[in-house]
Amino acid sequence: MTIKIGIVGYGNLGRGVEYAIKNAPDMELMAVFTRRDPCSLRIQTEGVPVVKTANAAEWKDEIDVLILCGGSATDLPTMTPELVKLFNVVDSFDTHAKIPAHFANVDIAAKETGHIGLISVGWDPGLFSLNRLYGSAILPNGKDYTFWGKGVSQGHSDALRKIEGVKNAKQYTVPVESALEKVRSGCNPELSTRDKHTRECFVVLKEGANASAIENEIKTMPNYFADYNTTIYFISEEEFDKNHNSMAHGGFVIRSGKTGENNKHNHIIEYSLKLGSNPEFTTSVLVAYARAAYKMAAEGIKGCKTVLDVPPAYLSEKSGEELRATLL
Amino acid sequence: MTIKIGIVGYGNLGRGVEYAIKNAPDMELMAVFTRRDPCSLRIQTEGVPVVKTANAAEWKDEIDVLILCGGSATDLPTMTPELVKLFNVVDSFDTHAKIPAHFANVDIAAKETGHIGLISVGWDPGLFSLNRLYGSAILPNGKDYTFWGKGVSQGHSDALRKIEGVKNAKQYTVPVESALEKVRSGCNPELSTRDKHTRECFVVLKEGANASAIENEIKTMPNYFADYNTTIYFISEEEFDKNHNSMAHGGFVIRSGKTGENNKHNHIIEYSLKLGSNPEFTTSVLVAYARAAYKMAAEGIKGCKTVLDVPPAYLSEKSGEELRATLL
């Protein structure tokens, strides 16, 4: 049995999905959908058609699960509810505050036609959410901590690039090692925003820009930088192009909790990711959950779901019997 | 809505479940079942009856989920299939090689009367199994590594105590730090049994016992010690009683895998536990999964299940809406 997959959008995520499918013996890529001119797109898998997203409906009987590789800001809020009317879909919607609204929209659309829409799949939201859930359910008398990095924050980099006089910029979020150690010690510290992460900015200036004015503008920017210890490095375009292409990222979810008589015993659950490529790891998660979406749809499950709803065994191509014998 | 819980067996695990239930706002302890004389047992929760396990059937309409706190060697293989005919049950059966047979027995018995039997719940098998599954499904082109410790191995301690001339003994399994570091580096090393763990034995001798003969017997014992670097400390009874009561344990599951063009990018997923009390943590997992068993039974799910089958959200007392808004 082969699961027939379609990819919508062919940026870093779309390409990552294409690579991940090659590692999935039970999946076949049927088509890549794009808003661009299909003739302008060169994909990696020979013989797979590239199709205008506007014509996706023609493929509705050829595809089991569509993996949506659009952005959370403008693409997915409309793309996911629209396409879930025609297909089972998986997306990586990651604007935490807007997940409940997105869920509600996708749920209504999915139920209209009896599809499943698995949203907010990736590592945060996604695997980190799972670990926050497992941790809080198992150690209710405790506290959880999420740290991100070291890795580029797209939103913060965008904020830097919007400053007048800035030609290019990348912002790295860096977890504070001493805060991590404090959490691991089990003392359940109260940590402020400033305590947990620092921000490192690598900025290329336009000719004639005022470095110290820009430095001040960055350090005092509300929401983005004002609440953090921020370090700014002004670098040349050559250095920027040479040293700041990495898509590496990562982070930590730590649950610290107490059990027993007089809360005598302390326990630490730590989950950490060190990712060579943020988009490729995210898409590896998307592909595993596309398999789950396929299995859930086959069981008649409809509507919007998240990683919190998916039985772990559904992520694997192995049978329950095999999993119990080899992994349990 | 309160979930009515019964505990079967009142050793370290039974007591741990009792403590964990006090942290669960949606659960109530209805009865503790024991093979001992109920009058001889003092439990911590006032007003809760202690009942002979032989009379458990009388409680079948009063209890939603029974948490079985027996041992895997002799208790659970018969106890779980018997009691699942009357109740929804959760057990911590942890003899990895015998899980498929135990599953089959519990599945038949559970389906006879329409109950659910959730087996092999704890941290390994249990949370570690989940992490091996998530890791292998997300990074199929990779390898996983499980390390245990530092903590007491009951089986190895028992093996030491059976040696003639040994009065008392504890065996600690210790992960080899350099092996952990090698795995974290992403080089996917081949590690032998000896490379991954060392074994530390603390032994109290009987009067007149031959220490060097016993040391040799331990170091050459097949399966238990021969394949490991084993260190033996002969200590006094006083030192043993004073320093070797800790129930601390822990371990690591690490998945290392590659993605992308020419497998260019490496990723490390690391899950680790540092547990102040092995039995109290195991029972905290059991109690969370008792909640899941209750919810699954309410949906009409029957038969034997494992942690791999349980949707994560079922572990929490919070609604799907709350979980999406706060944890996702």
Side-chain angles (χ1 to χ4, degrees), chain B residues 39-96:
Chain B
C39 299
S40 74
L41 219 67
R42 282 183 64 100
I43 68 167
Q44 311 147 54
T45 321
E46 232 170 288
V48 168
V50 178
V51 182
K52 270 285 208 192
T53 309
N55 301 330
E58 294 165 18
W59 287 76
K60 77 186 183 61
D61 298 324
E62 314 298 324
I63 285 172
D64 295 315
V65 184
L66 211 53
I67 302 181
L68 309 185
C69 297
S72 297
T74 55
D75 300 331
L76 298 174
T78 53
M79 188 187 267
T80 312
E82 259 170 41
L83 288 170
V84 81
K85 289 183 190 166
L86 299 165
F87 300 90
N88 300 307
V89 306
V90 181
D91 83 16
S92 62
F93 185 80
D94 66 0
T95 314
H96 289 263

Side-chain angles (χ1 to χ4, degrees), chain B residues 112-159:
Chain B
E112 255 178 46
T113 54
H115 289 101
I116 183 165
L118 197 45
I119 64 158
S120 300
V121 173
W123 58 277
D124 196 359
L127 302 178
F128 274 18
S129 321
L130 284 174
N131 278 280
R132 287 186 286 259
L133 171 60
Y134 281 117
S136 65
I138 289 162
L139 296 173
N141 182 18
K143 217 165 139 61
D144 61 48
Y145 298 86
T146 302
F147 291 83
W148 298 273
K150 183 184 175 175
V152 169
S153 158
Q154 217 49 64
H156 288 77
S157 300
D158 289 345

Side-chain angles (χ1 to χ4, degrees), chain B residues 166-188:
Chain B
V166 170
K167 191 168 182 192
N168 212 342
K170 282 246 166 108
Q171 193 271 181
Y172 298 88
T173 305
V174 185
V176 174
E177 192 58 40
S178 61
L180 270 167
E181 284 309 319
K182 213 179 268 181
V183 170
R184 289 181 183 127
S185 78
C187 71
N188 288 10

Side-chain angles (χ1 to χ4, degrees), chain B:
Chain B
M1 171 53 90
T2 303
I3 306 172
K4 296 181 215 133
I5 301 287
I7 295 172
V8 181
Y10 199 71
N12 283 331
L13 287 180
R15 269 193 303 276
V17 168
E18 196 180 3
Y19 282 123
I21 289 172
K22 291 182 204 275
N23 280 324
D26 57 343
M27 290 186 176
E28 187 185 354
L29 180 60
M30 302 303 290
V32 171
F33 300 91
T34 179
R35 283 176 299 206
R36 292 181 260 173
D37 171 10
C39 299
S40 74
L41 219 67
R42 282 183 64 100
I43 68 167
Q44 311 147 54
T45 321
E46 232 170 288
V48 168
V50 178
V51 182
K52 270 285 208 192
T53 309
N55 301 330
E58 294 165 18
W59 287 76
K60 77 186 183 61
D61 298 324
E62 314 298 324
I63 285 172
D64 295 315
V65 184
L66 211 53
I67 302 181
L68 309 185
C69 297
S72 297
T74 55
D75 300 331
L76 298 174
T78 53
M79 188 187 267
T80 312
E82 259 170 41
L83 288 170
V84 81
K85 289 183 190 166
L86 299 165
F87 300 90
N88 300 307
V89 306
V90 181
D91 83 16
S92 62
F93 185 80
D94 66 0
T95 314
H96 289 263
K98 294 183 179 164
I99 288 173
H102 188 55
F103 183 94
N105 293 338
V106 175
D107 197 46
I108 291 169
K111 284 176 178 161
E112 255 178 46
T113 54
H115 289 101
I116 183 165
L118 197 45
I119 64 158
S120 300
V121 173
W123 58 277
D124 196 359
L127 302 178
F128 274 18
S129 321
L130 284 174
N131 278 280
R132 287 186 286 259
L133 171 60
Y134 281 117
S136 65
I138 289 162
L139 296 173
N141 182 18
K143 217 165 139 61
D144 61 48
Y145 298 86
T146 302
F147 291 83
W148 298 273
K150 183 184 175 175
V152 169
S153 158
Q154 217 49 64
H156 288 77
S157 300
D158 289 345
L160 293 177
R161 282 190 291 262
K162 280 182 192 147
I163 295 173
E164 213 183 300
V166 170
K167 191 168 182 192
N168 212 342
K170 282 246 166 108
Q171 193 271 181
Y172 298 88
T173 305
V174 185
V176 174
E177 192 58 40
S178 61
L180 270 167
E181 284 309 319
K182 213 179 268 181
V183 170
R184 289 181 183 127
S185 78
C187 71
N188 288 10
E190 289 296 331
L191 295 173
S192 69
T193 298
R194 191 179 296 274
D195 293 333
K196 288 175 68 187
H197 297 93
T198 56
R199 301 204 172 274
E200 291 181 3
C201 308
F202 291 82
V203 177
V204 181
L205 293 176
K206 287 183 185 161
E207 245 189 76
N210 180 337
S212 74
I214 288 174
E215 176 156 357
N216 186 55
E217 187 172 345
I218 295 173
K219 289 195 171 179
T220 58
M221 196 187 292
N223 302 319
Y224 285 92
F225 296 101
D227 296 335
Y228 296 86
N229 292 331
T230 301
T231 315
I232 298 153
Y233 302 93
F234 293 108
I235 61 173
S236 68
E237 196 152 20
E238 294 70 44
E239 191 185 334
F240 189 89
D241 292 343
K242 192 175 149 215
N243 296 335
H244 296 280
N245 290 312
S246 165
M247 302 234 182
H249 216 310
F252 306 81
V253 174
I254 305 178
R255 180 79 185 183
S256 166
K258 293 180 187 302
T259 64
E261 198 174 11
N262 304 321
N263 293 319
K264 190 161 60 179
H265 292 118
N266 200 74
H267 310 274
I268 302 282
I269 309 174
E270 177 167 343
Y271 184 78
S272 75
L273 297 175
K274 286 192 186 60
L275 310 177
S277 161
N278 184 358
E280 285 179 11
F281 186 78
T282 299
T283 50
S284 297
V285 182
L286 280 166
V287 167
Y289 276 94
R291 180 179 293 120
Y294 172 80
K295 293 190 191 178
M296 291 169 89
E299 286 187 359
I301 295 170
K302 296 168 181 52
C304 190
K305 301 288 167 190
T306 77
V307 297
L308 308 179
D309 304 308
V310 177
Y314 285 32
L315 301 185
S316 175
E317 85 277 9
K318 299 203 179 87
S319 70
E321 216 167 353
E322 264 180 288
L323 292 175
R324 287 190 295 275
T326 57
L327 289 182
L328 197 64

